[in-house]
Amino acid sequence: MSSIPSTRLPDSDAASGTLLTVPGSVIREFDPVDVVSDAVAAVKPDIIIPADPDAGVVIPALTGSIDVPIYQPGRGMLPQTVETANGSVTIVVSPSIDSLPDDPMSLIETSHGYVVTDTLSLYIDPHARQTQLDGLEEYITTVDSAWITDHSLEAEAGVDISHLSTRLRSSYNRDVTVPDGHQISVAGIGTSRARLGVAVDDSTQPLTVTSVFPNGAVTTNTISPDRFGLRGITGVSETRANHLRTAGFETRSAVATASPHELTAVPSIGTNTAQQIHASARAVADEIIVSTGDGSLPTGDPVFIDIETDGLAASTAWLIGVLDGSASSGNYLAFRQPDLNAPSAHLEAFMTWLTGSARRRPVVAWNGYGFDFDVIHDQLQTHCPSYLDDWENRYTFDPLYWGRTQGNAEFPGRTNKLEHVATALGWEPTTQGINGRRVAELYVDWRERMNTADNPQTVSQPPWNRLEAYCEDDVRALARIYEALTDAHQTQTKNAPLKSKSDSSTSTSQGSLSDFGL
């Protein structure tokens, strides 16, 4: 059986259903109601799916506390269903592979069905350096053939089916060719059992947020459980979280509505820590940026940038998106590599614009010093060395590093991801069902097909307009954060003129964290 990465993207205006996968390790190591309740409030899932390790402890721990259906695959006698996405998607949780009825239409009346199972896992052969789906052969021979459909069979079968496994990592999303020649769409929504052939890792696994769409597209994001509840507050360890609960501060909102002085009555929390904890809780609870330091923001009108690459170990920055102006009305410029044989053309165009029309203006990127700025430097060094000095002497600014690492601001949002912070501030994206990892996968898939095709002109193109629109969303989100950051900083300094950190021609360097995995 062969498989290829799924290249399916959701329709731009399609509604989605949301699954929240909760590993049992989260229940073991955190206050389950505190963390999961906060996650539910942030994610608003249609259904909660328990997952290993210790999937069986999830339902007992949350029953009566969470007002969301909790269905565990591999448990019970009959399939359980949830209809979502404005009535266009049905999620079916399978107790076992022989529990599904012969006719999918007896359970699914929507345009697309998703079957959640715990029977498909990833097997890694360390000697052959190959991976394969473990349990797939039994799966496709046990369930009725009507459940094994691809998009070419939609009209015949009456409903399209995708399969989600809690024992596959959330980055797994592939179309697998089965013996009859058709494809079964399989995506992971949990933890992988593949550890070079050994059992599942018992360490705490992340929460997984999965969006499912009527056309079969699936997107996933993982969030560490320590980003939710009291543990999600900056400066709050598990010990301090227990002290806060004992003192009556059981939720982040309770901490936010208290005063820093009140928090100093809690053991192990001094004045400085109380101020930090209070600011962090307020940022998320009130969905604002809270200024916490006296560092200066750059002077001059910023240029906002974001890059798209072929992954974390980037060998190319095939798209540099630029926003010149405000989040709502600024002009977006897309500098995209025209083809694989012209790696320098878009870099030269970007630097010509930057050193001309945007001369001496600060360049701003979210997590720029952990990713974007270094990648651009390496690309210029390789393909356009004549511009390297211009880039190295440019003033660059990373709001994430300035705020969190240097202690100048606390951000809203349940993670440090750009879209989470910006959304909490009221920004609304125009694209959906796509993230940086997905963009990289689509690009790499296209590049591999181009490099191996006998006639590259016959290779289908990625949806370049969608990918550029995603990048535009990111730079507009960045501008929205920067505008809120400026407002918060000016309020903190009582509208005093901002001091320049340095002349705008001075370069700087900061920390690390990746947009792919924050």
Side-chain angles (χ1 to χ4, degrees), residues 186-205:
V186 180
I189 62 168
T191 57
S192 174
R193 300 187 61 147
R195 296 290 190 275
L196 295 179
V198 300
V200 66
D201 188 348
D202 283 334
S203 62
T204 302
Q205 303 293 328

Side-chain angles (χ1 to χ4, degrees), residues 336-377:
R336 176 161 65 89
Q337 183 176 346
D339 60 65
L340 293 177
N341 296 319
S344 64
H346 68 302
L347 296 171
E348 291 179 358
F350 167 67
M351 290 302 298
T352 297
W353 179 84
L354 193 66
T355 57
S357 300
R359 183 174 179 268
R360 295 182 64 84
R361 291 168 60 186
V363 179
V364 178
W366 187 260
N367 187 41
Y369 289 99
F371 192 69
D372 302 64
F373 297 146
D374 286 342
V375 172
I376 291 176
H377 177 278

Side-chain angles (χ1 to χ4, degrees), residues 86-87 157 165 211 235 246 252 259 270 287 309 318 326 338 388 412 478 484 491:
N86 293 339
S165 178
S211 297
T246 300
R252 195 192 307 244
S259 68
E287 297 187 324
T309 71
W318 58 268
S326 69
L388 195 58
L478 172 59
T491 299

Side-chain angles (χ1 to χ4, degrees), residues 456-498:
Q457 293 182 347
T458 64
V459 174
S460 60
Q461 299 287 310
W464 296 118
N465 290 341
R466 289 285 298 276
L467 305 189
E468 289 183 8
Y470 165 76
C471 189
E472 179 177 358
D473 263 351
D474 271 1
V475 289
R476 292 193 185 277
L478 172 59
R480 177 68 186 90
I481 294 172
Y482 189 85
E483 290 162 4
L485 187 64
T486 300
D487 290 343
H489 189 72
Q490 289 176 338
T491 299
Q492 177 73 9
T493 56
K494 298 180 181 180
N495 296 319
L498 298 178

Side-chain angles (χ1 to χ4, degrees), residues 110-266:
T110 59
S111 62
H112 198 100
Y114 289 87
V115 178
V116 181
T117 180
D118 65 348
T119 59
L120 301 176
S121 58
L122 196 64
Y123 170 74
I124 297 179
D125 185 338
H127 303 291
R129 295 184 179 181
Q130 293 179 339
T131 63
Q132 65 183 42
L133 278 179
D134 198 17
L136 180 61
E137 184 173 352
E138 181 185 5
Y139 190 79
I140 63 177
T141 56
T142 303
V143 303
D144 190 90
S145 59
W147 291 90
I148 308 300
T149 66
D150 60 23
H151 294 273
S152 64
L153 299 180
E154 182 175 354
E156 176 184 340
V159 63
D160 203 6
I161 308 292
S162 298
H163 304 263
L164 310 175
S165 178
T166 59
R167 292 186 177 180
L168 288 170
R169 64 184 183 275
S170 60
S171 59
Y172 189 95
N173 189 0
R174 305 184 75 84
D175 293 326
V176 183
T177 303
V178 297
D180 65 2
H182 294 115
Q183 288 182 339
I184 174 174
S185 177
V186 180
I189 62 168
T191 57
S192 174
R193 300 187 61 147
R195 296 290 190 275
L196 295 179
V198 300
V200 66
D201 188 348
D202 283 334
S203 62
T204 302
Q205 303 293 328
L207 300 167
T208 300
V209 182
T210 304
S211 297
V212 294
F213 296 86
N215 72 337
V218 176
T219 61
T220 57
N221 285 287
T222 58
I223 306 178
S224 174
D226 63 11
R227 301 298 301 177
F228 295 99
L230 294 176
R231 285 288 300 276
I233 301 174
T234 301
V236 175
S237 61
E238 184 58 35
T239 298
R240 281 179 177 157
N242 290 332
H243 288 325
L244 285 167
R245 292 188 194 99
T246 300
F249 302 104
E250 297 184 354
T251 65
R252 195 192 307 244
S253 295
V255 175
T257 55
S259 68
H261 177 72
E262 291 175 297
L263 297 177
T264 59
V266 178

